[in-house]
Protein backbone atom coordinates (compact mmCIF):
# COMPACT_ATOMS: atom_id res chain seq x y z
CA UNK A 1 0.00 0.00 0.00
CA UNK A 2 1.52 3.28 -1.01
CA UNK A 3 0.03 5.69 1.46
CA UNK A 4 1.27 9.07 0.38
CA UNK A 5 3.06 10.69 3.27
CA UNK A 6 4.27 14.17 2.57
CA UNK A 7 5.90 14.92 5.91
CA UNK A 8 9.61 15.41 5.80
CA UNK A 9 10.21 12.61 8.31
CA UNK A 10 8.75 10.01 6.03
CA UNK A 11 10.37 8.31 3.12
CA UNK A 12 7.82 8.09 0.32
CA UNK A 13 6.41 4.85 -0.99
CA UNK A 14 7.44 2.35 1.62
CA UNK A 15 6.69 4.96 4.27
CA UNK A 16 9.74 4.08 6.31
CA UNK A 17 10.28 6.74 8.89
CA UNK A 18 13.82 7.99 9.10
CA UNK A 19 15.38 7.76 12.52
CA UNK A 20 15.32 11.45 13.37
CA UNK A 21 17.44 10.87 16.46
CA UNK A 22 20.26 9.44 14.39
CA UNK A 23 20.10 12.55 12.22
CA UNK A 24 20.80 14.65 15.27
CA UNK A 25 17.32 16.10 15.69
CA UNK A 26 16.50 17.19 19.24
CA UNK A 27 14.39 14.85 21.31
CA UNK A 28 11.22 16.99 21.11
CA UNK A 29 11.37 17.04 17.31
CA UNK A 30 10.86 13.32 17.31
CA UNK A 31 7.31 13.75 18.38
CA UNK A 32 5.73 10.40 18.80
CA UNK A 33 7.49 8.81 15.85
CA UNK A 34 9.95 6.17 16.85
CA UNK A 35 12.70 4.85 14.62
CA UNK A 36 12.02 2.18 12.07
CA UNK A 37 8.27 2.50 12.07
CA UNK A 38 6.10 1.88 9.06
CA UNK A 39 2.65 3.21 8.39
CA UNK A 40 -0.21 0.76 8.78
CA UNK A 41 -2.81 1.54 6.11
CA UNK A 42 -6.30 2.59 7.04
CA UNK A 43 -8.99 0.47 5.42
CA UNK A 44 -11.52 3.30 5.63
CA UNK A 45 -9.51 6.05 3.93
CA UNK A 46 -8.39 6.64 0.36
CA UNK A 47 -4.62 6.39 -0.19
CA UNK A 48 -4.61 9.92 -1.42
CA UNK A 49 -7.14 12.59 -1.03
CA UNK A 50 -7.16 16.22 -1.93
CA UNK A 51 -6.49 18.45 1.04
CA UNK A 52 -7.08 21.61 -1.04
CA UNK A 53 -10.59 21.03 -2.39
CA UNK A 54 -11.00 24.73 -3.28
CA UNK A 55 -8.90 27.91 -3.14
CA UNK A 56 -10.49 28.87 0.15
CA UNK A 57 -10.35 25.56 2.01
CA UNK A 58 -7.31 23.59 3.08
CA UNK A 59 -7.31 20.77 5.54
CA UNK A 60 -4.74 18.57 7.19
CA UNK A 61 -4.07 14.97 6.16
CA UNK A 62 -4.27 13.77 9.73
CA UNK A 63 -1.98 10.80 9.03
CA UNK A 64 0.79 13.37 8.70
CA UNK A 65 0.30 15.08 12.04
CA UNK A 66 3.73 14.94 13.52
CA UNK A 67 4.96 18.41 14.46
CA UNK A 68 3.45 19.59 17.70
CA UNK A 69 2.74 22.94 16.05
CA UNK A 70 1.21 22.75 12.59
CA UNK A 71 3.55 24.51 10.12
CA UNK A 72 1.95 27.78 9.01
CA UNK A 73 1.91 26.73 5.36
CA UNK A 74 0.00 23.56 6.25
CA UNK A 75 -2.40 25.13 8.75
CA UNK A 76 -5.99 24.27 7.92
CA UNK A 77 -7.98 27.20 6.61
CA UNK A 78 -11.54 28.30 5.90
CA UNK A 79 -12.66 31.66 4.57
CA UNK A 80 -16.24 32.54 3.81
CA UNK A 81 -15.77 35.69 1.74
CA UNK A 82 -12.42 34.87 0.13
CA UNK A 83 -9.31 36.72 1.17
CA UNK A 84 -9.50 40.46 1.66
CA UNK A 85 -6.63 42.67 0.60
CA UNK A 86 -5.14 44.05 3.75
CA UNK A 87 -2.03 46.19 3.77
CA UNK A 88 0.19 44.91 6.56
CA UNK A 89 1.89 48.25 7.22
CA UNK A 90 -0.95 50.76 6.89
CA UNK A 91 -3.66 48.55 8.44
CA UNK A 92 -5.59 50.05 11.34
CA UNK A 93 -8.01 48.54 13.82
CA UNK A 94 -10.88 50.76 14.86
CA UNK A 95 -12.10 50.47 18.43
CA UNK A 96 -15.54 51.98 18.68
CA UNK A 97 -18.84 52.04 20.56
CA UNK A 98 -19.20 52.04 24.32
CA UNK A 99 -15.54 52.70 25.10
CA UNK A 100 -14.04 55.66 26.93
CA UNK A 101 -11.43 56.42 24.27
CA UNK A 102 -12.60 55.32 20.80
CA UNK A 103 -9.58 55.17 18.50
CA UNK A 104 -7.86 53.70 15.50
CA UNK A 105 -4.81 51.66 16.35
CA UNK A 106 -2.01 50.98 13.91
CA UNK A 107 -0.19 47.66 13.90
CA UNK A 108 2.76 49.54 15.46
CA UNK A 109 0.47 50.64 18.33
CA UNK A 110 -0.63 47.06 18.83
CA UNK A 111 2.89 45.66 18.65
CA UNK A 112 4.11 48.22 21.19
CA UNK A 113 1.83 46.64 23.79
CA UNK A 114 3.14 43.80 26.01
CA UNK A 115 3.55 40.61 23.98
CA UNK A 116 2.00 37.34 25.09
CA UNK A 117 2.31 33.87 23.62
CA UNK A 118 -0.06 30.94 23.79
CA UNK A 119 -0.29 27.45 22.30
CA UNK A 120 -3.83 27.04 21.04
CA UNK A 121 -5.52 24.51 18.78
CA UNK A 122 -8.98 24.71 17.29
CA UNK A 123 -11.08 22.95 14.74
CA UNK A 124 -13.80 24.15 12.43
CA UNK A 125 -17.10 23.28 14.07
CA UNK A 126 -18.05 21.72 10.72
CA UNK A 127 -15.19 19.23 11.05
CA UNK A 128 -16.39 15.69 10.42
CA UNK A 129 -15.51 12.18 9.37
CA UNK A 130 -15.97 13.19 5.76
CA UNK A 131 -12.53 14.81 5.88
CA UNK A 132 -11.28 12.54 8.62
CA UNK A 133 -11.49 15.50 10.99
CA UNK A 134 -8.72 17.33 9.13
CA UNK A 135 -10.12 20.83 9.70
CA UNK A 136 -7.90 21.18 12.75
CA UNK A 137 -4.49 22.64 13.62
CA UNK A 138 -2.38 23.64 16.58
CA UNK A 139 -0.53 26.96 16.62
CA UNK A 140 1.81 28.94 18.80
CA UNK A 141 0.20 32.37 18.71
CA UNK A 142 1.96 35.62 19.58
CA UNK A 143 0.13 38.87 20.17
CA UNK A 144 -1.26 41.08 22.89
CA UNK A 145 -3.89 40.63 25.58
CA UNK A 146 -7.38 41.75 24.58
CA UNK A 147 -8.35 42.11 28.22
CA UNK A 148 -5.50 44.53 28.95
CA UNK A 149 -6.28 46.51 25.81
CA UNK A 150 -9.99 46.84 26.61
CA UNK A 151 -9.16 47.81 30.19
CA UNK A 152 -6.76 50.51 28.99
CA UNK A 153 -9.24 51.89 26.49
CA UNK A 154 -12.04 51.68 29.06
CA UNK A 155 -15.40 49.99 28.53
CA UNK A 156 -18.31 52.32 29.36
CA UNK A 157 -21.04 51.21 31.72
CA UNK A 158 -23.67 49.39 29.67
CA UNK A 159 -21.13 47.81 27.28
CA UNK A 160 -21.92 44.10 27.33
CA UNK A 161 -21.16 42.72 23.90
CA UNK A 162 -17.93 42.99 21.90
CA UNK A 163 -18.22 42.59 18.13
CA UNK A 164 -15.20 41.66 16.01
CA UNK A 165 -15.38 42.60 12.33
CA UNK A 166 -13.05 41.08 9.74
CA UNK A 167 -11.98 43.00 6.64
CA UNK A 168 -13.55 40.37 4.39
CA UNK A 169 -16.88 41.28 2.91
CA UNK A 170 -19.55 39.55 0.94
CA UNK A 171 -23.00 40.17 -0.45
CA UNK A 172 -25.81 38.52 1.47
CA UNK A 173 -29.50 38.29 0.74
CA UNK A 174 -31.43 38.75 3.94
CA UNK A 175 -35.08 37.74 3.90
CA UNK A 176 -37.53 38.80 6.57
CA UNK A 177 -41.27 38.14 6.27
CA UNK A 178 -41.06 37.57 2.55
CA UNK A 179 -39.07 40.69 1.72
CA UNK A 180 -35.42 40.43 0.69
CA UNK A 181 -32.51 42.82 0.73
CA UNK A 182 -29.10 42.39 -0.86
CA UNK A 183 -26.64 43.90 1.58
CA UNK A 184 -22.91 43.95 2.06
CA UNK A 185 -21.80 42.07 5.16
CA UNK A 186 -18.46 41.74 6.87
CA UNK A 187 -17.49 38.48 8.49
CA UNK A 188 -18.21 39.20 12.15
CA UNK A 189 -18.63 37.41 15.43
CA UNK A 190 -19.25 38.67 18.93
CA UNK A 191 -18.33 37.71 22.47
CA UNK A 192 -19.94 38.72 25.72
CA UNK A 193 -17.79 41.29 27.54
CA UNK A 194 -17.06 38.58 30.10
CA UNK A 195 -15.62 36.24 27.47
CA UNK A 196 -13.74 39.07 25.76
CA UNK A 197 -12.13 39.87 29.12
CA UNK A 198 -10.94 36.28 29.57
CA UNK A 199 -7.34 36.05 30.74
CA UNK A 200 -6.10 34.24 27.63
CA UNK A 201 -8.04 35.98 24.86
CA UNK A 202 -5.62 37.71 22.52
CA UNK A 203 -5.15 39.78 19.42
CA UNK A 204 -2.60 37.69 17.55
CA UNK A 205 -0.11 38.93 14.95
CA UNK A 206 2.25 35.93 14.94
CA UNK A 207 1.92 32.22 14.26
CA UNK A 208 4.77 29.89 15.24
CA UNK A 209 7.10 32.85 15.82
CA UNK A 210 6.57 34.38 12.36
CA UNK A 211 4.25 37.14 11.19
CA UNK A 212 0.73 35.82 10.70
CA UNK A 213 0.14 34.23 7.29
CA UNK A 214 -2.55 35.69 5.02
CA UNK A 215 -4.73 32.57 5.33
CA UNK A 216 -4.53 32.84 9.09
CA UNK A 217 -5.72 36.47 9.13
CA UNK A 218 -2.71 38.76 8.68
CA UNK A 219 -1.99 41.21 10.06
CA UNK A 220 -4.22 40.69 13.11
CA UNK A 221 -6.79 38.16 14.33
CA UNK A 222 -8.67 37.22 17.43
CA UNK A 223 -7.64 34.09 19.31
CA UNK A 224 -10.08 32.92 21.96
CA UNK A 225 -8.64 29.66 23.24
CA UNK A 226 -10.95 26.72 23.77
CA UNK A 227 -13.47 27.97 21.19
CA UNK A 228 -14.29 26.61 17.77
CA UNK A 229 -12.67 28.11 14.66
CA UNK A 230 -15.60 30.33 13.69
CA UNK A 231 -15.00 32.49 16.78
CA UNK A 232 -11.37 33.16 15.80
CA UNK A 233 -12.03 36.22 13.64
CA UNK A 234 -9.31 36.89 11.05
CA UNK A 235 -8.20 40.12 9.33
CA UNK A 236 -9.53 42.15 12.26
CA UNK A 237 -10.64 45.59 11.18
CA UNK A 238 -12.95 46.79 13.94
CA UNK A 239 -13.79 45.98 17.54
CA UNK A 240 -17.11 47.45 18.59
CA UNK A 241 -18.54 47.45 22.11
CA UNK A 242 -22.33 47.63 22.40
CA UNK A 243 -25.15 46.98 24.82
CA UNK A 244 -27.24 44.59 22.78
CA UNK A 245 -26.77 41.11 21.38
CA UNK A 246 -25.08 41.02 17.98
CA UNK A 247 -27.10 38.90 15.51
CA UNK A 248 -24.92 38.67 12.38
CA UNK A 249 -25.06 35.74 9.99
CA UNK A 250 -22.23 33.77 11.63
CA UNK A 251 -23.76 34.20 15.09
CA UNK A 252 -27.43 33.74 14.44
CA UNK A 253 -28.11 32.10 11.08
CA UNK A 254 -25.04 30.05 10.16
CA UNK A 255 -23.05 28.06 12.68
CA UNK A 256 -26.17 27.46 14.74
CA UNK A 257 -26.71 24.05 16.30
CA UNK A 258 -30.27 22.75 16.52
CA UNK A 259 -30.80 20.00 19.05
CA UNK A 260 -33.37 18.56 21.42
CA UNK A 261 -32.19 19.48 24.84
CA UNK A 262 -33.42 19.37 28.41
CA UNK A 263 -34.41 22.84 29.51
CA UNK A 264 -35.41 22.49 33.12
CA UNK A 265 -38.09 19.82 33.23
CA UNK A 266 -38.95 19.77 29.54
CA UNK A 267 -37.17 18.88 26.33
CA UNK A 268 -37.07 21.71 23.83
CA UNK A 269 -35.62 22.12 20.34
CA UNK A 270 -32.92 24.69 21.05
CA UNK A 271 -30.81 26.74 18.68
CA UNK A 272 -27.41 27.72 19.98
CA UNK A 273 -24.55 29.68 18.44
CA UNK A 274 -21.24 27.80 18.17
CA UNK A 275 -19.00 28.63 21.11
CA UNK A 276 -16.69 26.34 23.08
CA UNK A 277 -15.04 23.22 21.70
CA UNK A 278 -16.76 20.00 22.67
CA UNK A 279 -14.56 17.28 24.15
CA UNK A 280 -13.26 15.08 21.35
CA UNK A 281 -10.53 12.69 20.32
CA UNK A 282 -9.55 11.36 16.92
CA UNK A 283 -7.18 8.56 15.89
CA UNK A 284 -4.95 9.85 13.14
CA UNK A 285 -2.33 7.23 12.41
CA UNK A 286 -1.21 3.70 13.19
CA UNK A 287 2.42 2.69 12.84
CA UNK A 288 4.22 -0.60 13.14
CA UNK A 289 7.53 -0.84 14.96
CA UNK A 290 9.86 -3.79 15.48
CA UNK A 291 8.09 -4.91 18.68
CA UNK A 292 4.59 -3.43 18.66
CA UNK A 293 2.16 -1.13 16.88
CA UNK A 294 1.47 2.44 17.96
CA UNK A 295 -1.84 4.25 17.65
CA UNK A 296 -1.49 8.04 17.38
CA UNK A 297 -4.18 10.64 17.85
CA UNK A 298 -5.18 14.05 19.06
CA UNK A 299 -7.86 15.37 21.39
CA UNK A 300 -9.41 18.81 21.76
CA UNK A 301 -11.00 20.38 24.81
CA UNK A 302 -12.38 23.77 25.79
CA UNK A 303 -9.47 24.14 28.21
CA UNK A 304 -10.88 21.72 30.78
CA UNK A 305 -8.06 19.33 31.69
CA UNK A 306 -8.22 15.78 30.38
CA UNK A 307 -8.37 12.98 32.85
CA UNK A 308 -7.40 10.42 30.23
CA UNK A 309 -7.72 9.15 26.70
CA UNK A 310 -8.71 5.55 26.22
CA UNK A 311 -8.40 3.32 23.19
CA UNK A 312 -10.09 0.09 22.40
CA UNK A 313 -9.49 -2.43 19.66
CA UNK A 314 -12.34 -4.44 18.16
CA UNK A 315 -14.47 -5.56 21.12
CA UNK A 316 -11.66 -5.30 23.67
CA UNK A 317 -11.75 -3.27 26.84
CA UNK A 318 -10.80 0.38 27.07
CA UNK A 319 -7.12 0.97 27.79
CA UNK A 320 -5.40 4.16 28.78
CA UNK A 321 -3.31 5.96 26.17
CA UNK A 322 -0.20 8.05 26.94
CA UNK A 323 -0.53 11.81 26.70
CA UNK A 324 2.25 13.76 25.00
CA UNK A 325 4.40 15.77 27.39
CA UNK A 326 4.20 18.84 25.18
CA UNK A 327 0.43 19.21 25.63
CA UNK A 328 -0.64 22.43 27.33
CA UNK A 329 -4.03 23.67 28.43
CA UNK A 330 -5.27 24.95 25.07
CA UNK A 331 -3.03 23.03 22.67
CA UNK A 332 -4.28 19.90 21.04
CA UNK A 333 -3.69 16.90 23.25
CA UNK A 334 -1.57 14.43 21.32
CA UNK A 335 -1.58 10.86 22.52
CA UNK A 336 -0.15 7.47 21.65
CA UNK A 337 -1.25 3.99 22.56
CA UNK A 338 1.07 1.00 22.53
CA UNK A 339 -0.77 -1.77 20.77
CA UNK A 340 0.74 -5.14 21.68
CA UNK A 341 0.10 -8.36 19.80
CA UNK A 342 -1.79 -6.98 16.82
CA UNK A 343 -2.91 -9.89 14.67
CA UNK A 344 -2.96 -9.77 10.86
CA UNK A 345 -6.25 -8.70 9.34
CA UNK A 346 -8.65 -5.82 9.67
CA UNK A 347 -9.26 -4.20 13.05
CA UNK A 348 -11.50 -1.43 14.29
CA UNK A 349 -9.88 0.98 16.71
CA UNK A 350 -11.65 3.68 18.67
CA UNK A 351 -10.54 6.38 21.07
CA UNK A 352 -12.47 8.38 23.63
CA UNK A 353 -11.54 11.39 25.74
CA UNK A 354 -12.57 11.79 29.38
CA UNK A 355 -12.09 15.09 31.17
CA UNK A 356 -11.51 15.86 34.84
CA UNK A 357 -15.21 16.62 35.32
CA UNK A 358 -15.95 13.02 34.33
CA UNK A 359 -17.38 14.04 30.98
CA UNK A 360 -16.92 11.25 28.41
CA UNK A 361 -16.69 11.83 24.67
CA UNK A 362 -20.08 10.69 23.32
CA UNK A 363 -20.64 7.91 20.81
CA UNK A 364 -22.34 8.92 17.56
CA UNK A 365 -25.67 7.50 18.79
CA UNK A 366 -25.59 9.93 21.73
CA UNK A 367 -25.61 12.78 19.22
CA UNK A 368 -28.94 11.85 17.63
CA UNK A 369 -30.69 14.67 19.46
CA UNK A 370 -28.38 17.04 17.58
CA UNK A 371 -30.02 17.66 14.23
CA UNK A 372 -27.47 19.87 12.50
CA UNK A 373 -23.98 18.59 11.67
CA UNK A 374 -22.01 21.27 13.56
CA UNK A 375 -20.04 20.20 16.63
CA UNK A 376 -19.56 16.57 15.67
CA UNK A 377 -17.50 15.32 18.59
CA UNK A 378 -18.69 11.71 18.53
CA UNK A 379 -16.26 8.84 18.83
CA UNK A 380 -14.81 8.04 15.42
CA UNK A 381 -13.92 4.36 14.96
CA UNK A 382 -11.19 3.71 12.40
CA UNK A 383 -10.45 0.54 10.45
CA UNK A 384 -6.87 -0.54 9.86
CA UNK A 385 -5.36 -3.43 7.94
CA UNK A 386 -2.56 -5.16 9.80
CA UNK A 387 -0.36 -7.32 7.60
N1 LIG B 1 -12.58 37.24 8.93
C1 LIG B 1 -12.85 35.92 8.94
N2 LIG B 1 -12.51 35.21 10.03
C2 LIG B 1 -12.78 33.89 10.08
C3 LIG B 1 -13.43 33.24 9.01
C4 LIG B 1 -13.78 34.01 7.88
O1 LIG B 1 -14.34 33.52 6.89
N3 LIG B 1 -13.46 35.35 7.88
N4 LIG B 1 -13.71 31.89 9.10
C5 LIG B 1 -13.80 31.34 10.44
C6 LIG B 1 -13.87 29.89 10.48
S1 LIG B 1 -15.38 29.21 10.14
C7 LIG B 1 -12.82 29.11 10.83
S2 LIG B 1 -12.98 27.44 10.97
C8 LIG B 1 -11.50 29.72 11.15
C9 LIG B 1 -10.37 29.10 10.37
O2 LIG B 1 -9.17 29.71 10.77
P1 LIG B 1 -7.83 29.42 10.00
O3 LIG B 1 -8.09 29.65 8.54
O4 LIG B 1 -6.79 30.32 10.54
O5 LIG B 1 -7.51 27.99 10.29
O6 LIG B 1 -11.49 31.11 10.88
C10 LIG B 1 -12.64 31.79 11.31
N5 LIG B 1 -12.42 33.21 11.18
MO1 LIG C 1 -15.30 26.98 10.64
Amino acid sequence: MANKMTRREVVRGGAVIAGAATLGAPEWALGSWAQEETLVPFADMPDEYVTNPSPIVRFVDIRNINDFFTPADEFFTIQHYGQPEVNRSSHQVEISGLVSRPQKMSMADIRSRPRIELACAYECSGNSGRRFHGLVSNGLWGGTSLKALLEDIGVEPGGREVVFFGADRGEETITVRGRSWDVEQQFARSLSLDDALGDDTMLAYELNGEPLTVNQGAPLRLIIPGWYGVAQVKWLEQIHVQRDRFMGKFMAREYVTLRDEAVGDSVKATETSITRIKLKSVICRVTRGPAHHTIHGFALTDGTALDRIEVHIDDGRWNRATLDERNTRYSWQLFTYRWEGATPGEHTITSRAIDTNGKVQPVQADLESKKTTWENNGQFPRRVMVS
Side-chain angles (χ1 to χ4, degrees):
M1 284 291 278
N3 273 318
K4 188 168 169 261
M5 300 289 285
T6 52
R7 303 291 312 135
R8 340 187 207 302
E9 291 79 4
V10 176
V11 178
R12 281 159 207 272
V16 175
I17 293 112
T22 61
L23 304 174
E27 184 70 15
W28 57 264
L30 266 171
S32 15
W33 289 102
Q35 290 182 49
E36 307 282 295
E37 279 186 315
T38 55
L39 188 71
V40 177
F42 281 116
D44 57 8
M45 189 181 207
D47 283 352
E48 254 186 78
Y49 67 118
V50 182
T51 52
N52 269 299
S54 87
I56 53 167
V57 177
R58 173 174 69 211
F59 57 97
V60 168
D61 184 335
I62 64 170
R63 292 171 296 194
N64 297 346
I65 291 176
N66 182 37
D67 300 300
F68 187 64
F69 292 114
T70 312
D73 62 351
E74 295 174 19
F75 214 88
F76 98 88
T77 193
I78 298 264
Q79 31 244 302
H80 293 86
Y81 295 139
Q83 272 175 9
E85 283 199 13
V86 183
N87 185 314
R88 280 179 191 263
S89 47
S90 61
H91 184 68
Q92 290 192 320
V93 182
E94 181 181 358
I95 305 184
S96 56
L98 294 173
V99 291
S100 311
R101 285 171 297 283
Q103 57 192 274
K104 287 190 172 158
M105 296 184 80
S106 68
M107 284 307 298
D109 295 336
I110 285 166
R111 283 171 190 280
S112 70
R113 300 186 55 82
R115 183 178 176 282
I116 57 172
E117 202 173 72
L118 186 73
C120 166
Y122 53 86
E123 64 170 347
C124 177
S125 45
N127 210 6
S128 75
R130 194 161 66 92
R131 286 177 180 150
F132 299 93
H133 296 277
L135 293 169
V136 63
S137 291
N138 185 44
L140 179 63
W141 305 95
T144 197
S145 159
L146 176 65
K147 175 185 187 174
L149 185 135
L150 287 174
E151 284 173 352
D152 287 353
I153 286 180
V155 174
E156 297 276 278
R160 293 187 301 198
E161 180 98 342
V162 185
V163 192
F164 300 85
F165 291 95
D168 45 336
R169 293 166 162 76
E171 179 120 318
E172 296 286 351
T173 304
I174 296 177
T175 304
V176 179
R177 304 190 88 185
R179 278 189 68 194
S180 295
W181 294 264
D182 290 333
V183 289
E184 187 188 76
Q185 297 271 281
Q186 277 172 262
F187 182 90
R189 284 273 307 189
S190 69
L191 296 175
S192 69
L193 184 62
D194 240 28
D195 289 328
L197 294 180
D199 286 331
D200 298 312
T201 306
M202 70 195 277
L203 302 181
Y205 46 77
E206 287 171 6
L207 172 56
N208 301 342
E210 300 287 334
L212 215 54
T213 40
V214 173
N215 279 326
Q216 271 56 60
L220 193 69
R221 79 176 303 170
L222 177 67
I223 288 291
I224 174 155
W227 288 51
Y228 280 108
V230 70
Q232 323 285 347
V233 179
K234 304 191 276 191
W235 310 295
L236 257 188
E237 190 178 87
Q238 189 174 356
I239 301 173
H240 186 77
V241 180
Q242 63 189 42
R243 174 187 291 269
D244 295 321
R245 181 80 43 87
F246 173 74
M247 295 288 284
K249 170 176 174 176
F250 299 96
M251 292 299 291
R253 297 198 300 285
E254 281 288 310
Y255 289 90
V256 169
T257 293
L258 172 64
R259 59 160 78 78
D260 290 330
E261 195 173 23
V263 181
D265 287 341
S266 58
V267 172
K268 302 187 198 297
T270 62
E271 290 168 274
T272 50
S273 192
I274 301 293
T275 57
R276 292 172 188 81
I277 293 174
K278 296 246 165 16
L279 180 66
K280 165 174 193 172
S281 71
V282 172
I283 287 168
C284 63
R285 175 174 65 246
V286 180
T287 55
R288 177 198 197 122
H292 59 86
H293 287 69
T294 305
I295 296 172
H296 305 249
F298 66 85
L300 296 170
T301 75
D302 63 0
T304 306
L306 280 180
D307 180 63
R308 61 192 187 278
I309 305 275
E310 295 178 331
V311 172
H312 83 157
I313 291 140
D314 301 322
D315 297 322
R317 62 183 181 88
W318 289 104
N319 294 304
R320 196 183 272 256
T322 305
L323 293 168
D324 195 299
E325 283 177 1
R326 295 166 297 176
N327 298 343
T328 54
R329 182 170 182 198
Y330 293 111
S331 73
W332 57 18
Q333 313 288 303
L334 297 183
F335 64 88
T336 53
Y337 175 73
R338 198 182 155 102
W339 181 10
E340 306 277 3
T343 52
E346 193 176 295
H347 296 280
T348 301
I349 54 180
T350 313
S351 66
R352 67 177 184 187
I354 299 167
D355 74 15
T356 48
N357 295 331
K359 188 180 282 179
V360 181
Q361 182 182 359
V363 296
Q364 288 295 338
D366 296 333
L367 298 178
E368 266 164 24
S369 59
K370 185 171 73 63
K371 300 171 195 306
T372 46
T373 53
W374 308 113
E375 306 181 86
N376 183 343
N377 69 324
Q379 292 171 28
F380 185 55
R382 303 297 312 269
R383 289 186 291 116
V384 284
M385 183 58 77
V386 172
S387 54

